[in-house]
Coordinates of all heavy atoms in Angstrom, one line a residue:
Chain B
I154 N 3.5 21.3 14.1 CA 2.5 20.5 14.8 C 3.1 19.2 15.4 O 2.8 18.8 16.5 CB 1.3 20.1 13.8 CG1 0.2 19.4 14.6 CG2 1.7 19.2 12.7 CD1 -0.7 20.3 15.4
I155 N 4.1 18.7 14.7 CA 4.9 17.5 15.3 C 5.6 17.9 16.5 O 5.6 17.2 17.5 CB 5.8 16.9 14.2 CG1 5.1 16.4 13.0 CG2 6.7 15.8 14.8 CD1 4.1 15.3 13.3
D156 N 6.2 19.1 16.5 CA 6.9 19.6 17.7 C 6.0 19.7 18.9 O 6.3 19.2 20.0 CB 7.5 21.0 17.4 CG 8.6 21.0 16.3 OD1 9.1 19.9 16.0 OD2 8.8 22.1 15.8
L157 N 4.8 20.2 18.6 CA 3.9 20.4 19.7 C 3.4 19.1 20.3 O 3.4 18.8 21.5 CB 2.7 21.2 19.2 CG 2.8 22.7 19.2 CD1 1.7 23.3 18.4 CD2 2.6 23.2 20.7
L158 N 3.0 18.2 19.4 CA 2.5 16.9 19.8 C 3.6 16.1 20.5 O 3.4 15.6 21.6 CB 2.1 16.1 18.6 CG 0.8 16.6 17.9 CD1 0.6 15.9 16.5 CD2 -0.4 16.3 18.8
G159 N 4.8 16.2 20.0 CA 5.9 15.4 20.6 C 6.3 16.0 22.0 O 6.4 15.2 23.0
M160 N 6.3 17.3 22.1 CA 6.7 17.9 23.4 C 5.6 17.5 24.5 O 5.9 17.3 25.7 CB 6.8 19.4 23.3 CG 7.9 19.8 22.4 SD 9.5 20.1 23.4 CE 9.1 21.6 24.2
C161 N 4.4 17.5 24.1 CA 3.3 17.2 25.1 C 3.2 15.7 25.4 O 3.1 15.3 26.6 CB 1.9 17.6 24.5 SG 1.7 19.4 24.4
V162 N 3.3 14.9 24.4 CA 3.0 13.5 24.5 C 4.1 12.6 25.0 O 3.9 11.6 25.7 CB 2.3 13.0 23.2 CG1 3.3 12.1 22.4 CG2 1.0 12.3 23.5
F163 N 5.3 13.0 24.6 CA 6.5 12.2 24.9 C 6.6 11.8 26.4 O 6.9 10.6 26.7 CB 7.8 12.8 24.4 CG 9.0 12.0 24.7 CD1 9.2 10.8 24.0 CD2 9.8 12.3 25.7 CE1 10.3 10.0 24.4 CE2 10.9 11.6 26.1 CZ 11.2 10.4 25.4
P164 N 6.5 12.7 27.3 CA 6.7 12.3 28.7 C 5.7 11.3 29.2 O 6.0 10.5 30.1 CB 6.4 13.6 29.5 CG 6.6 14.7 28.5 CD 6.2 14.2 27.2
Y165 N 4.5 11.3 28.6 CA 3.5 10.2 28.9 C 3.9 8.9 28.4 O 3.7 7.9 29.0 CB 2.1 10.7 28.5 CG 1.6 11.8 29.4 CD1 1.8 13.1 29.2 CD2 0.9 11.4 30.6 CE1 1.3 14.1 30.0 CE2 0.5 12.4 31.5 CZ 0.7 13.8 31.2 OH 0.2 14.7 32.0
V166 N 4.3 8.9 27.1 CA 4.7 7.6 26.5 C 5.9 7.0 27.2 O 5.9 5.8 27.4 CB 5.0 7.9 25.0 CG1 5.5 6.6 24.4 CG2 3.8 8.4 24.2
A167 N 6.8 7.8 27.7 CA 8.0 7.3 28.3 C 7.9 7.4 29.8 O 8.9 7.1 30.5 CB 9.2 8.2 27.8
K168 N 6.7 7.6 30.3 CA 6.6 7.9 31.8 C 7.3 6.9 32.7 O 8.1 7.3 33.6 CB 5.1 8.0 32.2 CG 5.0 8.6 33.5 CD 3.5 8.9 33.9 CE 3.4 9.5 35.2 NZ 2.0 9.4 35.8
P169 N 7.1 5.6 32.6 CA 7.7 4.7 33.5 C 9.3 4.8 33.5 O 9.9 4.6 34.5 CB 7.3 3.3 33.0 CG 6.1 3.5 32.2 CD 6.2 4.8 31.6
L170 N 9.8 5.0 32.3 CA 11.2 5.2 32.2 C 11.7 6.4 32.9 O 12.7 6.4 33.6 CB 11.6 5.2 30.7 CG 13.0 4.7 30.3 CD1 13.3 3.4 30.8 CD2 13.1 4.7 28.7
L171 N 11.0 7.5 32.6 CA 11.4 8.8 33.3 C 11.3 8.7 34.8 O 12.2 9.2 35.5 CB 10.4 9.9 32.9 CG 10.3 10.3 31.4 CD1 9.5 11.6 31.3 CD2 11.6 10.3 30.8
E172 N 10.3 8.1 35.3 CA 10.2 7.9 36.7 C 11.4 7.2 37.3 O 11.9 7.6 38.4 CB 8.8 7.2 37.1 CG 7.6 8.1 36.9 CD 6.3 7.4 37.1 OE1 6.3 6.1 37.1 OE2 5.3 8.1 37.2
D173 N 11.8 6.2 36.6 CA 12.9 5.4 37.1 C 14.2 6.2 36.9 O 15.1 6.3 37.9 CB 13.1 4.1 36.3 CG 14.2 3.3 36.9 OD1 14.0 2.6 37.9 OD2 15.3 3.3 36.3
V174 N 14.4 6.9 35.8 CA 15.7 7.6 35.5 C 15.8 8.9 36.4 O 16.9 9.1 36.9 CB 15.8 7.9 34.0 CG1 17.0 8.8 33.8 CG2 15.9 6.6 33.2
F175 N 14.8 9.6 36.4 CA 14.9 11.0 37.1 C 14.4 11.0 38.5 O 14.9 11.7 39.4 CB 14.0 12.0 36.3 CG 14.6 12.4 35.0 CD1 13.9 12.1 33.9 CD2 15.8 13.0 34.9 CE1 14.4 12.4 32.6 CE2 16.3 13.3 33.7 CZ 15.6 13.1 32.5
F176 N 13.3 10.2 38.8 CA 12.6 10.4 40.1 C 12.6 9.2 40.9 O 11.6 9.0 41.6 CB 11.2 10.9 39.8 CG 11.2 12.1 38.9 CD1 10.7 12.0 37.6 CD2 11.7 13.4 39.3 CE1 10.7 13.1 36.7 CE2 11.7 14.5 38.4 CZ 11.2 14.3 37.2
R177 N 13.6 8.4 40.9 CA 13.6 7.1 41.6 C 13.4 7.4 43.1 O 12.6 6.8 43.8 CB 14.8 6.3 41.4 CG 14.9 5.0 42.1 CD 14.8 3.9 41.1 NE 16.0 3.9 40.3 CZ 16.9 3.0 40.2 NH1 16.8 1.9 41.0 NH2 18.0 3.1 39.5
D178 N 14.2 8.4 43.6 CA 14.2 8.6 45.1 C 13.1 9.5 45.6 O 12.7 9.5 46.7 CB 15.5 9.1 45.6 CG 16.5 9.3 44.4 OD1 16.8 8.2 43.8 OD2 17.0 10.4 44.2
H179 N 12.5 10.3 44.7 CA 11.4 11.2 45.1 C 10.3 11.1 44.1 O 10.2 11.8 43.1 CB 11.9 12.7 45.2 CG 12.9 13.1 44.1 ND1 12.5 13.8 43.0 CD2 14.2 12.8 43.9 CE1 13.6 14.0 42.3 NE2 14.6 13.4 42.8
P180 N 9.4 10.1 44.4 CA 8.3 9.7 43.5 C 7.4 10.9 43.1 O 6.8 10.9 42.1 CB 7.6 8.6 44.2 CG 8.5 8.2 45.3 CD 9.4 9.3 45.7
A181 N 7.2 11.8 44.0 CA 6.3 13.0 43.7 C 6.9 13.8 42.6 O 6.2 14.6 42.0 CB 6.1 13.8 45.0
G182 N 8.2 13.7 42.4 CA 8.9 14.5 41.4 C 8.3 14.4 40.0 O 8.2 15.4 39.3
A183 N 7.9 13.2 39.6 CA 7.3 13.0 38.3 C 6.1 13.9 38.1 O 5.9 14.5 37.1 CB 7.1 11.6 38.0
D184 N 5.2 13.8 39.0 CA 3.9 14.6 38.9 C 4.2 16.1 38.9 O 3.6 16.8 38.1 CB 3.0 14.3 40.1 CG 2.3 12.9 39.9 OD1 2.2 12.5 38.8 OD2 2.0 12.3 40.9
N185 N 5.1 16.5 39.7 CA 5.5 17.9 39.8 C 6.1 18.3 38.4 O 5.8 19.4 37.9 CB 6.6 18.0 40.9 CG 6.7 19.5 41.3 OD1 5.8 20.2 41.2 ND2 7.9 19.9 41.8
F186 N 6.9 17.4 37.9 CA 7.5 17.7 36.6 C 6.5 17.9 35.5 O 6.5 18.8 34.7 CB 8.4 16.5 36.2 CG 9.0 16.6 34.8 CD1 10.1 17.4 34.6 CD2 8.5 15.8 33.8 CE1 10.6 17.4 33.3 CE2 9.0 15.9 32.5 CZ 10.1 16.7 32.3
L187 N 5.5 17.0 35.5 CA 4.4 17.1 34.5 C 3.6 18.3 34.7 O 3.1 18.9 33.7 CB 3.6 15.8 34.5 CG 4.2 14.6 34.0 CD1 3.3 13.4 34.2 CD2 4.6 14.7 32.6
Y188 N 3.5 18.7 36.0 CA 2.7 20.0 36.2 C 3.4 21.2 35.7 O 2.8 22.1 35.0 CB 2.5 20.1 37.8 CG 1.8 21.4 38.2 CD1 0.5 21.5 37.9 CD2 2.5 22.4 38.8 CE1 -0.2 22.7 38.3 CE2 1.9 23.6 39.1 CZ 0.6 23.7 38.9 OH 0.0 24.9 39.2
E189 N 4.7 21.3 36.0 CA 5.5 22.4 35.5 C 5.5 22.5 34.0 O 5.8 23.5 33.4 CB 7.0 22.3 35.9 CG 7.3 22.5 37.4 CD 8.8 22.2 37.6 OE1 9.5 21.8 36.6 OE2 9.2 22.3 38.8
R190 N 5.4 21.3 33.4 CA 5.7 21.2 32.0 C 4.9 22.1 31.1 O 5.3 22.6 30.1 CB 5.6 19.7 31.5 CG 6.2 19.5 30.2 CD 6.8 18.1 30.0 NE 7.3 18.1 28.6 CZ 8.4 18.5 28.2 NH1 9.3 19.0 29.0 NH2 8.8 18.5 26.9
K191 N 3.6 22.3 31.5 CA 2.7 23.1 30.6 C 3.3 24.5 30.4 O 3.5 24.9 29.3 CB 1.4 23.2 31.3 CG 0.4 23.9 30.4 CD -0.9 24.3 31.1 CE -1.8 23.1 31.4 NZ -3.1 23.4 32.0
Q192 N 3.8 25.1 31.5 CA 4.3 26.5 31.3 C 5.6 26.4 30.6 O 5.9 27.3 29.7 CB 4.6 27.1 32.7 CG 3.3 27.4 33.4 CD 2.3 28.2 32.5 OE1 2.6 29.1 31.8 NE2 1.0 27.7 32.6
H193 N 6.4 25.4 30.8 CA 7.7 25.2 30.1 C 7.4 25.2 28.6 O 8.1 25.9 27.8 CB 8.4 24.0 30.5 CG 9.6 23.6 29.7 ND1 10.8 24.3 29.7 CD2 9.7 22.7 28.7 CE1 11.6 23.8 28.8 NE2 11.0 22.8 28.2
I194 N 6.5 24.3 28.2 CA 6.3 24.2 26.7 C 5.8 25.5 26.1 O 6.3 25.9 25.0 CB 5.2 23.0 26.5 CG1 5.8 21.7 26.9 CG2 4.8 23.0 25.0 CD1 4.8 20.5 26.8
I195 N 4.9 26.1 26.8 CA 4.3 27.4 26.2 C 5.5 28.4 26.0 O 5.6 29.0 25.0 CB 3.2 27.9 27.1 CG1 2.0 26.9 26.9 CG2 2.8 29.3 26.6 CD1 0.9 27.2 27.9
Y196 N 6.3 28.5 27.1 CA 7.4 29.5 27.1 C 8.3 29.1 26.0 O 8.8 30.0 25.2 CB 8.1 29.5 28.4 CG 9.3 30.4 28.4 CD1 9.2 31.8 28.5 CD2 10.6 29.8 28.3 CE1 10.3 32.6 28.5 CE2 11.7 30.7 28.3 CZ 11.5 32.0 28.4 OH 12.6 32.8 28.4
F197 N 8.6 27.8 25.9 CA 9.6 27.3 24.9 C 9.2 27.7 23.5 O 10.0 28.1 22.7 CB 9.7 25.8 25.1 CG 11.0 25.2 24.5 CD1 12.1 25.2 25.3 CD2 10.9 24.6 23.3 CE1 13.3 24.6 24.7 CE2 12.1 24.0 22.8 CZ 13.2 24.0 23.5
F198 N 7.9 27.4 23.2 CA 7.5 27.7 21.8 C 7.5 29.2 21.5 O 7.8 29.6 20.4 CB 6.1 27.1 21.5 CG 6.2 25.6 21.2 CD1 6.1 24.6 22.1 CD2 6.5 25.3 19.8 CE1 6.2 23.3 21.7 CE2 6.6 23.9 19.5 CZ 6.5 22.9 20.4
K199 N 7.0 30.0 22.5 CA 7.0 31.4 22.2 C 8.4 31.9 21.9 O 8.6 32.7 21.0 CB 6.5 32.2 23.5 CG 5.0 32.1 23.6 CD 4.5 33.0 24.8 CE 3.0 32.9 24.9 NZ 2.5 33.5 26.2

Side-chain angles (χ1 to χ4, degrees):
Chain B
I154 187 76
I155 297 300
D156 294 343
L157 274 165
L158 290 168
M160 293 270 283
C161 291
V162 105
F163 177 74
Y165 285 90
V166 176
K168 195 176 181 196
L170 208 51
L171 300 193
E172 284 174 347
D173 185 79
V174 170
F175 290 116
F176 308 111
R177 182 113 62 114
D178 0 300
H179 37 106
D184 285 335
N185 200 25
F186 174 80
L187 290 175
Y188 175 74
E189 288 175 1
R190 193 151 176 83
K191 186 190 289 190
Q192 292 313 314
H193 168 76
I194 294 176
I195 292 170
Y196 176 77
F197 199 83
F198 276 95
K199 282 185 180 167

